[in-house]
Amino acid sequence: MLTRFAPLVLLGGLLLAGAAQAGNALSELRLFKSSPLGQGLWRMELVSSDDPQMARGAAAMGKTALCMDVARRMTQGSPAENPQCTPKVLRNTDTQAEIEVSCKDGGNSRMLMTRESDKSYLMDTTVSKDGQARNFKVRYTHAGACKGDSMMQFDKNSPMCQQMDPARMQAACARLPEASRAPCEQQMKSMAAACQ
């Protein structure tokens, strides 16, 4: 169910979480000096995309949020920069930051982040690989404290969460071999916990 929308938006969120860490090359971005960027719950809204599959995936997922507290914990202890990819800051002002990320596999991306208000940022991203480019814009809006321990959090009324009926999930796990049931049930509980 997590289509290509989730990984790309999550990548942007992890970049934002990493930017809030001391020692990260992106921590010097002036755009985030006076914001609660590295903490709390941030709602993510796909504003536009030239990829129809991404747009459909975003609609199916419904209201989606990223818990920066969990994302920050995930990035702690990791290298400041992925050795496979190198970020380069092209613009660094109080209202905008532009970053180009070049990867050894030939892929690259360019992100223009714009502060819309004290609690809202627009990220305009173009991802290029193998001669193909995709563009999408995502708005991140601070929504207060996180509501659980899941990094990705979804609206409980979203189509995705409605499919996570406890009885249906338990029945799906029950059909697996005995050795696989407990891990399946744990994974299902984690997915259900993401629905707030």
Side-chain angles (χ1 to χ4, degrees):
M1 190 67 168
L2 291 182
T3 62
R4 67 180 72 183
F5 170 67
L8 290 172
V9 172
L10 183 58
L11 175 65
L14 289 172
L15 173 72
L16 297 180
Q21 287 188 40
N24 188 300
L26 303 176
S27 67
E28 298 303 316
L29 295 178
R30 292 164 50 189
L31 181 66
F32 304 124
K33 290 301 181 190
S34 62
S35 73
L37 178 71
Q39 58 191 334
L41 190 67
W42 287 79
R43 296 223 174 271
M44 299 179 294
E45 171 195 359
L46 182 65
V47 176
S48 66
S49 171
D50 57 11
D51 184 337
Q53 185 178 347
M54 180 183 285
R56 285 192 301 272
M61 288 170 58
K63 293 180 182 176
T64 309
L66 176 69
C67 177
M68 286 293 186
D69 302 326
V70 176
R72 193 174 66 245
R73 286 196 301 267
M74 286 182 64
T75 59
Q76 283 176 346
S78 63
E81 294 178 4
N82 181 340
Q84 298 299 314
C85 299
T86 305
K88 180 180 180 183
V89 177
L90 305 176
R91 185 181 313 172
N92 188 7
T93 72
D94 292 338
T95 57
Q96 281 193 326
E98 188 171 7
I99 300 166
E100 185 174 64
V101 180
S102 300
C103 299
K104 292 179 180 176
D105 66 0
N108 65 63
S109 58
R110 186 177 288 232
M111 290 165 272
L112 176 63
M113 294 175 276
T114 304
R115 181 199 308 266
E116 296 183 314
S117 71
D118 288 343
K119 295 186 175 184
S120 178
Y121 295 86
L122 183 68
M123 183 181 289
D124 185 349
T125 304
T126 300
V127 178
S128 304
K129 189 172 181 183
D130 299 328
Q132 297 183 341
R134 290 177 295 177
N135 178 265
F136 59 96
K137 293 181 184 178
V138 177
R139 178 171 289 114
Y140 291 84
T141 304
H142 190 246
C146 294
K147 298 178 181 177
D149 293 328
S150 297
M151 182 169 60
M152 294 287 290
Q153 298 183 9
F154 308 97
D155 178 41
K156 63 182 178 183
N157 296 318
S158 68
M160 185 174 119
C161 287
Q162 288 175 354
Q163 291 182 13
M164 293 186 195
D165 174 65
R168 187 187 305 171
M169 293 191 302
Q170 190 172 4
C173 291
R175 289 192 292 268
L176 295 174
E178 190 172 337
S180 302
R181 286 182 199 155
C184 174
E185 289 171 0
Q186 185 60 43
Q187 183 178 13
M188 293 296 187
K189 283 180 185 175
S190 297
M191 290 171 64
C195 294
Q196 302 291 329

